[in-house]
Amino acid sequence: MNPVSSISYKKYFPASQFSSETIQSTLNLSMTSLQGELKWWQSGIIYQIYPRSYQDSNGDGVGDLPGITARLPYVASLGVQAVWLSPIFKSPMRDFGYDVADYCDIDPVFGTLEQFDALVAEAHRLGLKVMLDYVPNHTSSDHAWFQEALTGKASAKRDWYVWRDPAPDGGLPNNWKSFFGGPAWTLDEASGQYYLHQFLPSQPDLNWRNPDVRAAMFDVLRFWMRRGVDGFRVDVIWLLAEDERFLDEPENPDADREVVGGQIEHSTLLHIYTQDQPETHDYVREMRRVIDEFDDRMMVGEIYLPLDKLLPYSGTPEAPMVHLPFNFHLILLPWDAQTIRQFADEYDAASNAAGAWPNWVLGNHDQHRFKTRVGAAQYRVAQTLLLTLRGTPTVYYGDEIGMENVPVPPEKMVDPSGLQQPDSPDAGRDPERTPMQWEAAPGAGFTAAGTEPWLPLTDNFAQVNVQVQEQDSQSDLNYFRALTRLRQEQPALVGGSYRSLDSGHADVFAFERELNGERLTVWLNFRGEERAVAATGQTLLSSRGDQPAAQSPLRGHEARVVLG
Ligand code: GLC
């Protein structure tokens, strides 16, 4: 699902709201804050693993925890700091784990709590942090809480979910829609009431207004933190509360131009009563206080909102909220040097003004593979951008070897978002969730030879895989490692200030990172033609695999990092 339904690129990227004075004063602020030590979630890279697709260890065609544990040395070799696992909790898997039936147990398809403990121990031994995917907005309809709520209006758990009587004409309570198409309400025939679900009918929304719900969900966080978990990615955190009046949402006049991620029907409304409500901010503050009961933990929130509504989710020093509100703009904006530059300038300044640490994302399990999106020629430009901008990068598994969308034939499609929206070619998320390509052998090293993986492997896994790329110094994998090594060797790339440069070309985005007098410049050519640039100093890395003189023209689609 791309929960970005009704917000167009223009709304994500409104005309500059930040004056040059703001930018100047925030630059000073950023220089002061650099003197403090950075936390792991500021200096490190987060690596997202989709557990079903990383490594199958028991030959059932689905990835699992022992499989991930066995691959952790590879993860550590990438130079990343943390692994974020998409949900591994007990689930009927109707939304592949984003429908949780027991928040404090592991689904048998993935393994056991003991195997989870072993994964955490091995990660920590390798110096990696472990982040889990916390899904607070909704449970599975199989969850014991919902089953109890279904027993009737008098049930102690009834108010843990969101119920409404039918409209006076006997129909739906209002016009709210599910992200996956169709109404956001399903009738419980036994009681004659409807329950709310922003996703599948089998994903009923929890009622976060109820303090008992909040207490129970906060205990889930404590359960995992006590088990050694270092952080959480919080699923659809901006959807926690709904307006209590349950009014119809207005039509979106720009619906046809504003479909992002294939959610055509959901995009027909403006979600002013179901998203980003003031109460949600209160609940996130409360959630943060729970995280802060433990040392050095963090949370990153899934939030698809424009900058002015996104950054407030960082909270204030007195009342902090999420450590990182996910910034999805590299996914949402057109791949164009000027557009990206303007956004990076505004985001950097606005983050400083808000006292927030920036972060960048190119891909996840809900979005098409970025190599497919920007095109193979621009792949290394995008990868360089992600790993050299100021802020925490998040990397989606397989992007380090240049995995692309895998066409999934209709009979193999399993994602409910795609199956429920057959008229929307972009709604299905199977193409970006296919098994990791480890080697050229049958099963790609993901699963046993002869076992059918839960989603098809790409046709070209014999060429595009970890084993082949390990042996090729010029491979995408080794380019990725060169970038992460550079981050380790050049503190300016991690903690340094950011300032964009006038490259002299509309299709070249250039910027500098500076820390304690150490200055690096990054040059990104968004076009296939050579461009003369005014770089000086020493080239540290080029996407072409050589070290051209800094002042030599930037070749087509070249990314270059220069010292000095
Ligand atoms: C988030 C997840 C997505 C899931 C949805 C419902 O957007 O990233 O995969 O389908 O929430 O939980």
Side-chain angles (χ1 to χ4, degrees), residues 1 3 95 98 138 180 233 235-236 302 365-366 429 433:
M1 191 259 339
D95 191 18
Y98 286 94
H138 44 270
F180 294 151
R233 176 265 190 186
D235 191 64
V236 296
E302 185 198 18
H365 63 293
D366 294 328
R429 302 167 293 183
R433 296 177 173 182

Side-chain angles (χ1 to χ4, degrees), residues 274-331:
T274 51
Q275 304 190 354
D276 193 32
Q277 301 296 302
E279 293 86 344
T280 296
H281 287 231
D282 297 338
Y283 306 149
V284 178
R285 274 183 216 107
E286 251 185 272
M287 200 182 281
R288 170 62 179 263
R289 289 200 290 274
V290 176
I291 298 286
D292 287 348
E293 290 169 11
F294 293 73
D295 273 351
D296 208 21
R297 314 298 161 101
M298 64 82 79
M299 56 176 178
V300 42
E302 185 198 18
I303 304 166
Y304 284 85
L305 285 174
L307 263 196
D308 57 333
K309 297 200 162 65
L310 175 69
L311 284 168
Y313 279 84
S314 292
T316 60
E318 304 73 43
M321 293 166 70
V322 294
H323 298 74
L324 301 172
F326 261 140
N327 159 26
F328 295 122
H329 289 77
L330 288 183
I331 296 171

Side-chain angles (χ1 to χ4, degrees), residues 331-510:
I331 296 171
L332 304 169
L333 294 173
W335 193 250
D336 160 81
Q338 291 308 301
T339 309
I340 304 283
R341 174 187 183 178
Q342 199 186 335
F343 176 75
D345 287 357
E346 291 202 3
Y347 178 59
D348 194 76
S351 299
N352 274 326
W357 184 256
N359 73 90
W360 298 93
V361 183
L362 273 174
N364 61 38
H365 63 293
D366 294 328
Q367 306 291 344
H368 290 330
R369 288 276 177 189
F370 86 81
K371 186 167 187 177
T372 307
R373 235 178 28 244
V374 304
Q378 279 290 297
Y379 164 78
R380 289 192 184 188
V381 170
Q383 196 73 285
T384 311
L385 180 71
L386 176 72
L387 295 171
T388 57
L389 280 168
R390 190 175 78 88
T392 305
T394 296
V395 173
Y396 186 49
Y397 84 95
D399 280 350
E400 74 276 16
I401 56 166
M403 278 176 66
E404 297 187 69
N405 273 8
V406 178
V408 176
E411 68 280 6
K412 297 250 163 89
M413 279 173 58
V414 291
D415 176 26
S417 175
L419 292 171
Q420 293 210 166
Q421 303 176 85
D423 298 333
S424 176
D426 283 328
R429 302 167 293 183
D430 294 325
E432 59 262 26
R433 296 177 173 182
T434 61
M436 179 69 176
Q437 299 151 207
W438 294 105
E439 51 188 83
F446 163 72
T447 191
T451 300
E452 187 173 350
W454 77 288
L455 276 176
L457 282 155
T458 181
D459 286 344
N460 69 353
F461 74 83
Q463 290 80 49
V464 182
N465 65 59
V466 171
Q467 195 182 44
V468 164
Q469 295 197 16
E470 290 277 10
Q471 286 149 21
D472 173 4
S473 64
Q474 299 292 316
S475 65
D476 288 341
L477 175 58
N478 281 317
Y479 184 66
F480 182 88
R481 287 197 178 118
L483 280 166
T484 61
R485 231 181 355 258
L486 207 56
R487 287 174 62 91
Q488 278 150 16
E489 288 163 7
Q490 303 291 336
L493 278 182
V494 175
S497 60
Y498 158 93
R499 186 168 69 93
S500 69
L501 304 172
D502 288 321
S503 70
H505 305 282
D507 39 25
V508 174
F509 175 29

